[in-house]
Amino acid sequence: MGTKSELHVLYLELNGNDVQKACGLLADAGIHCIPIQASSRNDFLTAMENMLFDLVFSDDRVPGLTGLEALSLVRERHPQIPFLFITGAPNDEVAVEAMKKGATDYVAKQRLPRLVPAVERALKRVQAQ
């Protein structure tokens, strides 16, 4: 695939098991990710200010921050970094709004295997830029 051997992923998510599931699925496809889990607005802002990352994954909301707000924060500071929603409560209106605001993709947790091709497409776009 020609990508970095390790991807640092900022993951806005309350459930550590979901973070491990997503990274495990990517690892099985040969994409090794190092997750930086943020489970609150403060965690997310601190991670954005202090760490470099290759991708952002986001659930719909954590305490003090919605996924759409997180998307806006990332687009302001790091417009080139792929931002993928991974949500257990898919909502067509939120999905459309997210894509309009610059999300790279929107994956339902119930269809998590879709994450692999979504990440591969996102990484190819970054390489092409």
Side-chain angles (χ1 to χ4, degrees), residues 11-30:
Y11 200 147
L12 185 66
E13 172 65 63
L14 287 173
N15 186 335
N17 289 335
D18 286 349
V19 173
Q20 294 309 316
K21 245 187 254 181
C23 287
L25 186 67
L26 291 171
D28 290 346

Side-chain angles (χ1 to χ4, degrees), residues 25-39:
L25 186 67
L26 291 171
D28 290 346
I31 304 168
H32 180 66
C33 76
I34 299 169
I36 301 144
Q37 183 177 352
S39 53

Side-chain angles (χ1 to χ4, degrees), residues 41-105:
R41 180 184 190 87
N42 287 342
D43 289 351
F44 190 78
L45 292 173
T46 299
M48 279 188 45
E49 290 171 13
N50 298 315
M51 298 174 205
L52 296 174
F53 45 93
D54 303 296
L55 297 166
V56 176
F57 294 161
S58 178
D59 199 357
D60 282 343
R61 74 175 52 246
V62 298
L65 187 65
T66 68
L68 289 173
E69 291 168 339
L71 172 61
S72 292
L73 290 168
V74 171
R75 286 292 161 255
E76 287 170 14
R77 292 167 175 84
H78 307 285
Q80 75 288 358
I81 293 178
F83 188 107
L84 292 88
F85 275 91
I86 304 173
T87 180
N91 177 317
D92 290 343
E93 289 178 21
V94 173
V96 168
E97 188 68 18
M99 299 307 281
K100 283 182 182 176
K101 290 187 174 190
T104 307
D105 213 325

Side-chain angles (χ1 to χ4, degrees), residues 108-125:
K109 288 180 183 176
Q110 299 87 334
R111 302 184 74 195
L112 199 57
R114 269 200 67 242
L115 183 61
V116 172
V119 166
E120 289 172 341
R121 277 192 308 275
L123 295 174
K124 283 179 185 166
R125 267 191 230 135

